[in-house]
Amino acid sequence: MLEDHIRLKNINHITYNVKDKEAALKWYQDILGLKQIPKMVNSEHLYWLQLPSGAMVHIIENPDAPSAPSHHTAFEVDDLEAARDHLMAKGIEVTEIQTRNDGQKAMYLQDPDGNRIELYTKSGFGVLV
């Protein structure tokens, strides 16, 4: 076990490669409700967005989008069924909701560039470390 002062504590941000940063910004704001925040780097090819938890999503314009290999990020929601209904009403294709062994529910969708996104409910598994 690592000493506490060097253990990983939290997720600061994740990144997604997108072909068109303007279109991606609109999608992440309109569909997922993320809020744009000031970026802390001097670069014109990206935007920073933030969740209420403080975790960030950085969308980076890159002609080789989507991010490869097909990785994904999982975002917690309180009501997965309501989130699914909301996304489907906006014409977003989502998977069926899966229920895991601990009762946690999850589903997947893709952003316009094909990046995979998971939405899930809080796990009954708990923190083990």
Side-chain angles (χ1 to χ4, degrees):
M1 176 75 67
L2 290 176
E3 295 178 42
D4 192 58
H5 71 284
I6 60 172
R7 282 185 68 199
L8 302 180
K9 304 288 181 161
N10 204 345
I11 293 176
N12 176 270
H13 71 273
I14 58 99
T15 63
Y16 280 119
N17 289 327
V18 300
K19 292 186 187 305
D20 179 339
K21 69 178 179 142
E22 302 301 329
L25 175 65
K26 181 172 177 25
W27 191 87
Y28 277 86
Q29 290 176 318
D30 293 350
I31 301 300
L32 297 183
L34 275 67
K35 303 294 183 197
Q36 184 179 3
I37 62 171
K39 57 189 172 190
M40 297 295 123
V41 295
N42 296 326
S43 178
E44 295 303 316
H45 71 284
L46 59 90
Y47 285 120
W48 286 22
L49 300 108
Q50 193 169 49
L51 287 75
S53 68
M56 294 176 283
V57 174
H58 298 173
I59 51 176
I60 302 171
E61 196 166 65
N62 183 330
D64 295 328
S67 301
S70 179
H71 70 279
H72 73 275
T73 301
F75 298 100
E76 184 178 315
V77 298
D78 291 329
D79 186 337
L80 193 61
E81 288 81 4
R84 188 173 193 275
D85 291 345
H86 168 78
L87 291 166
M88 290 176 66
K90 290 190 169 274
I92 304 300
E93 188 175 320
V94 296
T95 65
E96 293 296 320
I97 294 175
Q98 309 163 359
T99 302
R100 297 178 175 152
N101 293 340
D102 63 351
Q104 181 184 45
K105 296 181 179 190
M107 69 177 186
Y108 298 88
L109 62 139
Q110 292 183 342
D111 76 6
D113 288 289
N115 292 302
R116 192 169 190 200
I117 297 168
E118 177 182 350
L119 299 183
Y120 69 94
T121 58
K122 189 169 183 160
S123 171
F125 199 58
V127 177
L128 301 177
V129 295

